[in-house]
Amino acid sequence: MKELNTIQSLAKAGKVLSNIVAIICIVAFCLCVVGAVGVALGFDAVEVGGITIEGIVEMDGEMTREMLMAVCIGGAIVCAAEAVLAKFAVHYFKRELADGTPFTRGGAGELQRLGILAIVLPIVAGLISSILFTAMAPELSDSLSMDLEMSGTAAIGVMMIVMAQVCKYGTALEEKHSQPELY
């Protein structure tokens, strides 16, 4: 079937892209941790190509050490949540490819879990980051606005949950048609 081949091609692309996103998020997480450690050790402790954290901070005189530390830790939290979400997406795509169809009960369950995580993880990461920003740098809200918009991921999560129900329904139809009718 042409449609199933298209779905499988999209699943392969989704698996590759999810792996790439996971790797990027892990690298970004590590860089945020290095930045936080650099700030904790001192502004001039980390130097790359003659540029120190102190040199970057001097570009914006309103940025304090606490604010920079809060941004680095908050960034690490958000990157970790996105990496986890991307790895769950990889897991879903692997299962779908192994099953050969999205219309299995297990695959629908995985898709539903992915949808729930797409809603919950970014919100939790955003809340934890906001709490950290408030605790570590109360002046952060006055001079640096943190945009923690979550409606896009929530909408995608809801769409995944709906698609999981469609896949469950397709599975039920498939099972109904494959069973012989008794008269």
Side-chain angles (χ1 to χ4, degrees), residues 64-88:
T64 66
R65 184 182 197 139
E66 292 80 15
M67 291 168 69
L68 188 57
M69 181 73 109
V71 169
C72 288
I73 293 173
I77 292 168
V78 170
C79 289
E82 292 299 324
V84 168
L85 187 58
K87 285 312 256 179
F88 273 100

Side-chain angles (χ1 to χ4, degrees), residues 8-9 11-12 15 92-101:
Q8 293 306 95
S9 295
K12 288 176 187 173
K15 182 179 139 198
Y92 166 73
F93 288 122
K94 282 182 180 178
R95 177 172 193 139
E96 195 281 333
L97 289 167
D99 291 343
T101 179

